[in-house]
Amino acid sequence: MNYLLLSEGYVQLAFAEHLKKHRKKAKMSREVLAKKSTVPASTIKKFEVTGLISFRQLLLLWQSLDDLTRLYELTKTPIQGKNAPTSIEQVLKRY
């Protein structure tokens, strides 16, 4: 089993890049997305550059650009195995 050690900053930027890609694919400017999502264009720009945004605004953007059900389904995914490691020490012991 492989484990990725991700920082919250890396995940935030990954979400920002995902939604930016969808925005560009839809040929939407930040201003158009702002009107559709009710998230200010300046906030969208900041999010795309830094990955920082409120959770509510992230959901509004996601709903405007992608299927919100896909994001919701992540909460339904069971943890794989009862013996999943809970610390980096446990991960390192396996190798």
Side-chain angles (χ1 to χ4, degrees), residues 1-89:
M1 185 176 284
N2 292 330
Y3 293 95
L4 296 175
L5 301 176
L6 300 172
S7 71
E8 68 278 1
Y10 182 81
V11 174
Q12 287 172 298
L13 288 172
F15 271 94
E17 188 59 35
H18 173 81
L19 292 180
K20 182 178 179 180
K21 179 180 77 175
H22 280 275
R23 176 178 68 78
K24 289 186 173 190
K25 185 177 178 181
K27 298 184 185 328
M28 268 193 231
S29 67
R30 290 181 183 129
E31 291 74 20
V32 170
L33 178 56
K35 287 179 184 173
K36 183 175 181 180
S37 68
T38 71
V39 176
S42 60
T43 301
I44 295 169
K45 180 179 180 181
K46 180 180 176 185
F47 174 57
E48 289 181 351
V49 172
T50 67
L52 299 175
I53 197 166
S54 75
F55 186 67
R56 180 181 172 278
Q57 289 173 323
L58 172 69
L59 294 177
L60 289 169
L61 291 177
W62 194 286
Q63 185 175 14
S64 299
L65 293 168
D66 200 341
D67 183 358
L68 197 56
T69 305
R70 287 187 340 114
L71 192 59
Y72 178 73
E73 287 301 317
L74 294 176
T75 66
K76 303 297 181 189
T77 304
I79 296 175
Q80 295 179 359
K82 293 180 182 180
N83 296 326
T86 58
S87 70
I88 188 68
E89 290 79 19

